Amino acid sequence: MYKEFQNKNEWAIILGGSSGLGLATAKKLAKHGMNICVIHRNSRSQMTAVEKDFEEVKNHQIRFLSYNIDALNPDKRTEIIHEIKQIIGTQGTIKTLIHSIAKGNLKPMFSKEKEVLQNDDFQITINAMAISLYDWFKAIFDTKLFSDDARIISFTSEGNVKPWKNYAAVSAAKVTLEAITRNIALEFAKFGIKANCIQAGVTNTESLNRIPNSDEIKKHTLVRNPFGRLTTPIDVANVVYLMCKEESKWINGTIIKVDGGESLR
């Protein structure tokens, strides 16, 4: 296999890389020789499974870092970026920053039986799933760690335009995430930075399964998708890989659908 990122001292920082789309992306990029740094938040009981997945990433003979921290804590963010800078050295660069944080409140706007969305739910969700991208991006940029051909990739969903019950706060976060990504694309292009969103189709991840009635969403998607299946984390990771390659450097400020044509109907 051709490992185009090998021996370049280029790194991917993946926010939320211990499961789902983030983990699949870590495995795919490592397979092609990119060094990986995963920022994640997992309990002690989850770490056995997480470490097993991380070993699979390390087996590709790349350099690997992982930090089990609260990615939303500004002091921790500053500390970790400083440490990363020391580890990768003066010749190392961040080739790609991938935002895969899935931390949001899934509540209805109206219910007689359940707790409903409040202002704080929106603020917490938007901060975690959108504004945190800018916080990490700006901190890395200010530290002058990005390569001169860096790629910023965030994950959105069809909830950006379609209302789903219990999804209002996450939907608002996805729209905010897209706006932040577009403006990074516009304002930082002069530094060689390209920023894009990937809109994945319905993917059977832990995040999807937290949504009430997720089984109905999956069932509907199997009928709706032209290929009759759900999107997989590997489908999405494959496109992240493509977006990190030299040939994709003229793609900037857009939303790329990775759903097998699911959104056509």
Side-chain angles (χ1 to χ4, degrees):
M1 173 181 288
Y2 177 55
K3 296 189 174 184
E4 58 267 65
F5 304 120
Q6 196 169 40
N7 301 321
K8 291 185 177 181
N9 205 4
E10 291 182 331
W11 289 76
I13 293 183
I14 305 176
L15 307 176
S18 62
S19 64
L21 305 185
L23 177 62
T25 295
K27 291 178 179 180
K28 179 67 177 183
L29 293 181
K31 188 176 181 180
H32 289 269
M34 191 175 291
N35 301 309
I36 304 294
C37 175
V38 173
I39 311 297
H40 63 107
R41 190 62 168 161
N42 292 96
S43 66
R44 186 175 298 178
S45 62
Q46 294 171 320
M47 283 308 298
T48 299
V50 169
E51 289 293 351
K52 184 177 179 181
D53 284 319
F54 286 171
E55 284 301 319
E56 188 176 334
V57 177
K58 295 176 191 177
N59 285 341
H60 292 294
Q61 307 303 311
I62 49 90
R63 296 175 71 189
F64 179 82
L65 300 171
S66 66
Y67 297 95
N68 189 3
I69 62 164
D70 178 5
L72 308 180
N73 184 311
D75 293 332
K76 289 292 184 182
R77 181 174 60 247
T78 300
E79 177 185 328
I80 294 306
I81 291 175
H82 176 75
E83 186 172 322
I84 291 170
K85 185 174 184 179
Q86 300 304 311
I87 291 172
I88 71 176
T90 56
Q91 301 303 310
T93 60
I94 306 303
K95 174 69 173 180
T96 182
L97 172 65
I98 297 157
H99 187 279
S100 185
I101 294 176
K103 179 184 178 182
N105 289 326
L106 295 161
K107 299 177 184 177
M109 285 185 160
F110 172 81
S111 176
K112 292 183 178 180
E113 296 83 25
K114 300 178 181 179
E115 183 181 355
V116 297
L117 274 174
Q118 304 294 337
N119 182 285
D120 284 353
D121 295 311
F122 279 99
Q123 293 195 41
I124 291 168
T125 305
I126 292 171
N127 184 55
M129 298 186 71
I131 298 173
S132 61
L133 168 64
Y134 183 69
D135 290 337
W136 276 87
F137 167 79
K138 190 64 166 55
I140 295 169
F141 179 82
D142 289 345
T143 315
K144 297 180 172 58
L145 282 174
F146 280 122
S147 77
D148 57 8
D149 181 25
R151 315 298 170 90
I152 313 302
I153 300 170
S154 56
F155 295 138
T156 187
S157 73
E158 199 177 14
N160 57 5
V161 293
K162 283 194 173 182
W164 298 336
K165 190 175 180 181
N166 304 294
Y167 203 73
V170 176
S171 182
K174 293 301 186 184
V175 173
T176 304
L177 180 68
E178 292 170 14
I180 290 170
T181 303
R182 281 193 300 270
N183 264 73
I184 291 174
L186 175 68
E187 298 190 43
F188 291 87
K190 60 187 175 184
F191 299 101
I193 294 169
K194 297 88 181 173
N196 296 283
C197 288
I198 289 178
Q199 181 178 313
V202 172
T203 311
N204 192 18
T205 62
E206 185 179 321
S207 298
L208 173 66
N209 292 326
R210 291 195 195 108
I211 301 174
N213 301 317
S214 61
D215 286 343
E216 288 301 313
I217 295 174
K218 295 176 197 174
K219 183 178 178 181
H220 176 64
T221 300
L222 292 174
V223 175
R224 180 184 174 211
N225 192 293
F227 291 99
R229 70 168 177 85
L230 302 181
T231 301
T232 69
I234 294 173
D235 293 326
V236 178
N238 286 341
V239 177
V240 175
Y241 159 66
L242 292 175
M243 294 300 294
C244 292
K245 289 170 65 68
E246 171 72 15
E247 290 82 355
S248 69
K249 68 188 302 178
W250 201 236
I251 301 173
N252 189 37
T254 194
I255 298 172
I256 299 165
K257 293 182 180 180
V258 183
D259 63 2
E262 181 178 302
S263 55
L264 294 174
R265 53 184 177 179

